[in-house]
Amino acid sequence: MTLYPLQFSPLFKYRIWGGEKLKTQLNKNYSEENIGESWEISDVEGDETKVVSGALQGKTLKDLISEYKGAFVGEKVYKEFGSDFPLLIKFIDAKTPLSIQVHPSNEIARERHNSFGKNEMWYVMQADNDAELIVGFDEEVSQADYKKHLENNTVLDVMHHETVKSGDTFYIPTGRVHAIGAGVLLAEIQQTSDITYRIYDYDRVDAKTGQKRDLHNDLAIDVLDYTVHDNYKTDYNIGKNEAHILVNSPYFKTNIIEVEGTLKRDHTALDSFVIYMCVEGDLELQYDDVNYTVKTGETILLPAAIPSVELKSSGAKCIEVFM
């Protein structure tokens, strides 16, 4: 069977901090309240997304990798990851702040949880006035200093708070403390992992459970990177019908593309699947004389065997994701 561009049915996740923007701004279709995450493309065990339409309808990523191997993910990707799909693609709406958290490295995650680590990136799609993110530390602290701040409930005082707007991009390597603040809607690209160590959760009680959520400070303390950086935000260029690098990491690579008119994208040299996340406007993707519409807040996956596609729009921005 010939592979074709694939769209998946998203999975909607209740979160204590979730709001309504995934529905009101990204037109997601769900009836529950406090939906904070839309998992667009997922191979997390128990949370596998399925193909929406066409001859491969209902197939999971595992099914596709099992059947098509390198033709689906790319030969080098298949050699490294086997039957595991390496990325998890999400849209996130924070009505109230997420917990202050950190993710373990590949090595620690493998040792403690038999999982990948969780290097990730954020692209802010919309932010309310004065909305902010927490990324990294603002001042040098030792592990002993950090423990004192935890005990005194002053840990937020030493973290870097950054007011954000649409288009702001952040790479969050494992070990970097972080949190999405209230009023932020963003696209997230990450390794396939659901391992999060919560450090601080504002003493909130989850209405669904009547309990405070667990903290993981014993696990987090030796994972944290206390290095202070001058700048945590990713600087990048953008131009019409050009692909500009957002993140170039060992775990995934992303470009930002502003499409106006028609743009041909040739992926023959990549040896990887390619994912497009539409973060602004509406995008049309053409392959083999078939048109696929990708609206704001939607994603599409191109198997590695697809050599090139045409992108068309009267004005759209998309993130191109590959290994």
Side-chain angles (χ1 to χ4, degrees), residues 32-182:
E32 304 91 333
E33 293 185 349
N34 299 103
I35 296 298
E37 300 188 10
S38 176
W39 288 23
E40 299 288 306
I41 299 177
S42 169
D43 186 40
V44 173
E45 188 175 353
D47 284 307
E48 296 91 351
T49 50
K50 295 180 179 178
V51 176
V52 171
S53 61
L56 297 172
Q57 183 176 354
K59 299 275 191 184
T60 65
L61 292 160
K62 281 271 194 301
D63 295 335
L64 295 163
I65 295 169
S66 173
E67 189 169 344
Y68 295 101
K69 302 180 172 60
F72 180 62
V73 290
E75 296 299 339
K76 66 179 182 184
V77 178
Y78 184 70
K79 188 175 179 182
E80 182 173 356
F81 295 97
S83 63
D84 295 324
F85 191 78
L87 299 182
L88 173 55
I89 306 296
K90 301 177 181 177
F91 293 107
I92 297 179
D93 166 32
K95 185 176 183 178
T96 57
L98 273 70
S99 62
I100 312 300
Q101 56 190 243
V102 69
H103 305 303
S105 66
N106 274 345
E107 296 71 29
I108 292 173
R110 191 177 298 116
E111 181 186 318
R112 293 180 181 174
H113 312 284
N114 193 30
S115 169
F116 290 126
K118 194 175 172 186
N119 290 272
E120 61 190 20
M121 70 157 276
W122 295 332
Y123 177 92
V124 177
M125 295 172 66
Q126 184 272 334
D128 297 348
N129 288 338
D130 300 321
E132 63 178 28
L133 304 174
I134 290 174
V135 187
F137 289 96
D138 244 353
E139 57 183 80
E140 294 284 354
V141 289
S142 65
Q143 195 174 97
D145 293 334
Y146 174 78
K147 284 181 178 177
K148 284 180 188 170
H149 281 294
L150 270 182
E151 290 163 10
N152 297 331
N153 244 8
T154 55
V155 73
L156 289 174
D157 297 348
V158 294
M159 292 177 182
H160 177 73
H161 300 245
E162 181 143 354
T163 304
V164 293
K165 64 184 186 308
S166 173
D168 285 352
T169 299
F170 296 83
Y171 179 58
I172 316 289
T174 57
R176 183 166 295 172
V177 67
H178 61 279
I180 303 170

Side-chain angles (χ1 to χ4, degrees), residues 235-308:
D235 294 322
Y236 65 91
N237 297 314
I238 189 164
K240 287 177 183 173
N241 299 327
E242 297 174 343
H244 289 277
I245 294 170
L246 281 179
V247 168
N248 185 6
S249 79
Y251 310 101
F252 55 81
K253 304 180 191 317
T254 58
N255 295 323
I256 184 82
I257 306 175
E258 185 174 3
V259 183
E260 192 162 306
T262 301
L263 173 66
K264 184 175 181 182
R265 294 296 292 153
D266 187 337
H267 301 125
T268 45
L270 287 185
D271 192 18
S272 169
F273 62 87
V274 176
I275 294 167
Y276 286 104
M277 304 182 78
C278 189
V279 291
E280 189 178 310
D282 291 346
L283 189 68
E284 197 173 86
L285 184 146
Q286 187 178 61
Y287 172 68
D288 201 22
D289 295 325
V290 179
N291 290 329
Y292 302 84
T293 301
V294 190
K295 297 181 177 180
T296 303
E298 292 183 345
T299 59
I300 193 165
L301 184 151
L302 308 181
I306 292 179
S308 64

Side-chain angles (χ1 to χ4, degrees), residues 16-32:
I16 191 174
W17 39 261
E20 295 292 319
K21 286 181 184 174
L22 295 173
K23 182 188 290 184
T24 59
Q25 297 198 25
L26 301 189
N27 295 307
K28 299 294 181 185
N29 185 20
Y30 57 85
S31 56
E32 304 91 333

